[in-house]
PDB file of all heavy atoms in Angstrom:
ATOM      1  N   LEU A  10       4.590  10.153  -7.014  1.00 38.00           N
ATOM      2  CA  LEU A  10       5.578  10.464  -8.049  1.00 38.00           C
ATOM      3  C   LEU A  10       4.884  10.740  -9.392  1.00 38.00           C
ATOM      4  O   LEU A  10       5.310  11.670 -10.100  1.00 38.00           O
ATOM      5  CB  LEU A  10       6.527   9.313  -8.201  1.00 38.00           C
ATOM      6  CG  LEU A  10       7.473   9.139  -6.937  1.00 38.00           C
ATOM      7  CD1 LEU A  10       8.336   7.865  -7.142  1.00 38.00           C
ATOM      8  CD2 LEU A  10       8.412  10.325  -6.747  1.00 38.00           C
ATOM      9  N   SER A  11       3.843   9.946  -9.648  1.00 41.00           N
ATOM     10  CA  SER A  11       3.112  10.215 -10.930  1.00 41.00           C
ATOM     11  C   SER A  11       2.501  11.589 -11.014  1.00 41.00           C
ATOM     12  O   SER A  11       2.581  12.258 -11.994  1.00 41.00           O
ATOM     13  CB  SER A  11       2.043   9.109 -11.105  1.00 41.00           C
ATOM     14  OG  SER A  11       2.616   7.848 -11.152  1.00 41.00           O
ATOM     15  N   VAL A  12       1.837  11.953  -9.914  1.00 39.00           N
ATOM     16  CA  VAL A  12       1.293  13.287  -9.844  1.00 39.00           C
ATOM     17  C   VAL A  12       2.270  14.347  -9.967  1.00 39.00           C
ATOM     18  O   VAL A  12       2.157  15.387 -10.622  1.00 39.00           O
ATOM     19  CB  VAL A  12       0.401  13.490  -8.551  1.00 39.00           C
ATOM     20  CG1 VAL A  12      -0.017  14.924  -8.350  1.00 39.00           C
ATOM     21  CG2 VAL A  12      -0.791  12.519  -8.582  1.00 39.00           C
ATOM     22  N   SER A  13       3.407  14.131  -9.242  1.00 41.00           N
ATOM     23  CA  SER A  13       4.501  15.176  -9.303  1.00 41.00           C
ATOM     24  C   SER A  13       5.061  15.343 -10.685  1.00 41.00           C
ATOM     25  O   SER A  13       5.307  16.431 -11.146  1.00 41.00           O
ATOM     26  CB  SER A  13       5.606  14.734  -8.304  1.00 41.00           C
ATOM     27  OG  SER A  13       5.122  14.649  -6.982  1.00 41.00           O
ATOM     28  N   VAL A  14       5.279  14.180 -11.352  1.00 37.00           N
ATOM     29  CA  VAL A  14       5.839  14.273 -12.710  1.00 37.00           C
ATOM     30  C   VAL A  14       4.803  14.973 -13.642  1.00 37.00           C
ATOM     31  O   VAL A  14       5.182  15.758 -14.404  1.00 37.00           O
ATOM     32  CB  VAL A  14       6.164  12.833 -13.187  1.00 37.00           C
ATOM     33  CG1 VAL A  14       6.443  12.833 -14.714  1.00 37.00           C
ATOM     34  CG2 VAL A  14       7.337  12.249 -12.415  1.00 37.00           C
ATOM     35  N   PHE A  15       3.485  14.597 -13.500  1.00 37.00           N
ATOM     36  CA  PHE A  15       2.462  15.211 -14.344  1.00 37.00           C
ATOM     37  C   PHE A  15       2.404  16.727 -14.087  1.00 37.00           C
ATOM     38  O   PHE A  15       2.388  17.530 -15.048  1.00 37.00           O
ATOM     39  CB  PHE A  15       1.172  14.580 -14.051  1.00 37.00           C
ATOM     40  CG  PHE A  15      -0.004  15.209 -14.857  1.00 37.00           C
ATOM     41  CD1 PHE A  15      -0.187  14.918 -16.153  1.00 37.00           C
ATOM     42  CD2 PHE A  15      -0.850  16.131 -14.202  1.00 37.00           C
ATOM     43  CE1 PHE A  15      -1.210  15.452 -16.876  1.00 37.00           C
ATOM     44  CE2 PHE A  15      -1.875  16.723 -14.954  1.00 37.00           C
ATOM     45  CZ  PHE A  15      -2.022  16.426 -16.275  1.00 37.00           C
ATOM     46  N   SER A  16       2.486  17.114 -12.834  1.00 40.00           N
ATOM     47  CA  SER A  16       2.440  18.566 -12.480  1.00 40.00           C
ATOM     48  C   SER A  16       3.662  19.252 -13.108  1.00 40.00           C
ATOM     49  O   SER A  16       3.548  20.343 -13.672  1.00 40.00           O
ATOM     50  CB  SER A  16       2.406  18.754 -10.960  1.00 40.00           C
ATOM     51  OG  SER A  16       1.210  18.194 -10.450  1.00 40.00           O
ATOM     52  N   SER A  17       4.756  18.622 -13.020  1.00 39.00           N
ATOM     53  CA  SER A  17       6.061  19.228 -13.478  1.00 39.00           C
ATOM     54  C   SER A  17       5.978  19.406 -14.964  1.00 39.00           C
ATOM     55  O   SER A  17       6.341  20.462 -15.565  1.00 39.00           O
ATOM     56  CB  SER A  17       7.174  18.335 -13.126  1.00 39.00           C
ATOM     57  OG  SER A  17       8.388  18.880 -13.657  1.00 39.00           O
ATOM     58  N   CYS A  18       5.429  18.383 -15.678  1.00 41.00           N
ATOM     59  CA  CYS A  18       5.281  18.453 -17.150  1.00 41.00           C
ATOM     60  C   CYS A  18       4.332  19.607 -17.564  1.00 41.00           C
ATOM     61  O   CYS A  18       4.553  20.296 -18.464  1.00 41.00           O
ATOM     62  CB  CYS A  18       4.805  17.108 -17.697  1.00 41.00           C
ATOM     63  SG  CYS A  18       6.032  15.805 -17.606  1.00 41.00           S
ATOM     64  N   THR A  19       3.225  19.674 -16.744  1.00 38.00           N
ATOM     65  CA  THR A  19       2.177  20.669 -17.081  1.00 38.00           C
ATOM     66  C   THR A  19       2.834  22.065 -16.948  1.00 38.00           C
ATOM     67  O   THR A  19       2.659  22.975 -17.740  1.00 38.00           O
ATOM     68  CB  THR A  19       1.017  20.523 -16.118  1.00 38.00           C
ATOM     69  OG1 THR A  19       0.433  19.261 -16.297  1.00 38.00           O
ATOM     70  CG2 THR A  19      -0.061  21.567 -16.465  1.00 38.00           C
ATOM     71  N   GLU A  20       3.579  22.258 -15.838  1.00 40.00           N
ATOM     72  CA  GLU A  20       4.209  23.623 -15.588  1.00 40.00           C
ATOM     73  C   GLU A  20       5.141  23.905 -16.673  1.00 40.00           C
ATOM     74  O   GLU A  20       5.250  25.025 -17.209  1.00 40.00           O
ATOM     75  CB  GLU A  20       4.866  23.592 -14.211  1.00 40.00           C
ATOM     76  CG  GLU A  20       3.906  23.620 -13.078  1.00 40.00           C
ATOM     77  CD  GLU A  20       4.570  23.435 -11.723  1.00 40.00           C
ATOM     78  OE1 GLU A  20       5.863  23.395 -11.778  1.00 40.00           O
ATOM     79  OE2 GLU A  20       3.906  23.373 -10.728  1.00 40.00           O
ATOM     80  N   ASP A  21       5.956  22.888 -17.087  1.00 41.00           N
ATOM     81  CA  ASP A  21       6.927  23.102 -18.194  1.00 41.00           C
ATOM     82  C   ASP A  21       6.226  23.422 -19.440  1.00 41.00           C
ATOM     83  O   ASP A  21       6.712  24.350 -20.204  1.00 41.00           O
ATOM     84  CB  ASP A  21       7.808  21.838 -18.311  1.00 41.00           C
ATOM     85  CG  ASP A  21       8.753  21.630 -17.207  1.00 41.00           C
ATOM     86  OD1 ASP A  21       9.011  22.520 -16.359  1.00 41.00           O
ATOM     87  OD2 ASP A  21       9.243  20.481 -17.074  1.00 41.00           O
ATOM     88  N   THR A  22       5.071  22.801 -19.719  1.00 42.00           N
ATOM     89  CA  THR A  22       4.375  23.064 -20.959  1.00 42.00           C
ATOM     90  C   THR A  22       3.860  24.497 -20.935  1.00 42.00           C
ATOM     91  O   THR A  22       3.945  25.211 -21.943  1.00 42.00           O
ATOM     92  CB  THR A  22       3.170  22.061 -21.089  1.00 42.00           C
ATOM     93  OG1 THR A  22       3.709  20.770 -21.137  1.00 42.00           O
ATOM     94  CG2 THR A  22       2.438  22.354 -22.394  1.00 42.00           C
ATOM     95  N   ASP A  23       3.277  24.968 -19.810  1.00 43.00           N
ATOM     96  CA  ASP A  23       2.794  26.325 -19.705  1.00 43.00           C
ATOM     97  C   ASP A  23       3.884  27.307 -19.977  1.00 43.00           C
ATOM     98  O   ASP A  23       3.772  28.312 -20.649  1.00 43.00           O
ATOM     99  CB  ASP A  23       2.127  26.594 -18.324  1.00 43.00           C
ATOM    100  CG  ASP A  23       0.814  25.817 -18.201  1.00 43.00           C
ATOM    101  OD1 ASP A  23       0.305  25.435 -19.213  1.00 43.00           O
ATOM    102  OD2 ASP A  23       0.390  25.666 -17.053  1.00 43.00           O
ATOM    103  N   GLU A  24       5.081  27.058 -19.321  1.00 57.00           N
ATOM    104  CA  GLU A  24       6.156  28.004 -19.478  1.00 57.00           C
ATOM    105  C   GLU A  24       6.695  28.039 -20.886  1.00 57.00           C
ATOM    106  O   GLU A  24       7.296  28.972 -21.346  1.00 57.00           O
ATOM    107  CB  GLU A  24       7.243  27.622 -18.459  1.00 57.00           C
ATOM    108  CG  GLU A  24       6.951  27.850 -17.004  1.00 57.00           C
ATOM    109  CD  GLU A  24       7.954  27.385 -16.063  1.00 57.00           C
ATOM    110  OE1 GLU A  24       8.967  26.863 -16.532  1.00 57.00           O
ATOM    111  OE2 GLU A  24       7.786  27.508 -14.860  1.00 57.00           O
ATOM    112  N   ALA A  25       6.474  26.865 -21.561  1.00 70.00           N
ATOM    113  CA  ALA A  25       7.080  26.699 -22.928  1.00 70.00           C
ATOM    114  C   ALA A  25       6.142  27.226 -23.988  1.00 70.00           C
ATOM    115  O   ALA A  25       6.496  27.094 -25.181  1.00 70.00           O
ATOM    116  CB  ALA A  25       7.474  25.300 -23.192  1.00 70.00           C
ATOM    117  N   LEU A  26       4.935  27.689 -23.637  1.00 76.00           N
ATOM    118  CA  LEU A  26       4.016  28.180 -24.627  1.00 76.00           C
ATOM    119  C   LEU A  26       4.705  29.222 -25.491  1.00 76.00           C
ATOM    120  O   LEU A  26       5.330  30.211 -24.985  1.00 76.00           O
ATOM    121  CB  LEU A  26       2.806  28.765 -24.016  1.00 76.00           C
ATOM    122  CG  LEU A  26       1.696  27.792 -23.517  1.00 76.00           C
ATOM    123  CD1 LEU A  26       0.580  28.527 -22.805  1.00 76.00           C
ATOM    124  CD2 LEU A  26       1.163  26.989 -24.730  1.00 76.00           C
ATOM    125  N   PRO A  27       4.600  29.140 -26.841  1.00 96.00           N
ATOM    126  CA  PRO A  27       5.267  30.190 -27.670  1.00 96.00           C
ATOM    127  C   PRO A  27       4.637  31.572 -27.519  1.00 96.00           C
ATOM    128  O   PRO A  27       3.379  31.617 -27.254  1.00 96.00           O
ATOM    129  CB  PRO A  27       5.059  29.625 -29.096  1.00 96.00           C
ATOM    130  CG  PRO A  27       3.897  28.695 -28.993  1.00 96.00           C
ATOM    131  CD  PRO A  27       3.950  28.079 -27.624  1.00 96.00           C
ATOM    132  N   THR A  28       5.343  32.557 -27.635  1.00 97.00           N
ATOM    133  CA  THR A  28       4.825  33.929 -27.591  1.00 97.00           C
ATOM    134  C   THR A  28       5.166  34.659 -28.935  1.00 97.00           C
ATOM    135  O   THR A  28       5.996  34.194 -29.691  1.00 97.00           O
ATOM    136  CB  THR A  28       5.397  34.714 -26.457  1.00 97.00           C
ATOM    137  OG1 THR A  28       6.878  34.848 -26.626  1.00 97.00           O
ATOM    138  CG2 THR A  28       5.138  34.086 -25.055  1.00 97.00           C
ATOM    139  N   THR A  29       4.433  35.669 -29.181  1.00 97.00           N
ATOM    140  CA  THR A  29       4.595  36.391 -30.383  1.00 97.00           C
ATOM    141  C   THR A  29       4.212  37.868 -30.212  1.00 97.00           C
ATOM    142  O   THR A  29       3.490  38.226 -29.252  1.00 97.00           O
ATOM    143  CB  THR A  29       3.714  35.836 -31.522  1.00 97.00           C
ATOM    144  OG1 THR A  29       4.056  36.372 -32.764  1.00 97.00           O
ATOM    145  CG2 THR A  29       2.213  35.940 -31.192  1.00 97.00           C
TER     146      THR A  29
END
Side-chain angles (χ1 to χ4, degrees):
L10 290 174
S11 298
V12 170
S13 298
V14 170
F15 178 78
S16 298
S17 176
C18 290
T19 302
E20 290 173 4
D21 290 343
T22 301
D23 288 344
E24 291 176 359
L26 281 175
T28 62
T29 187

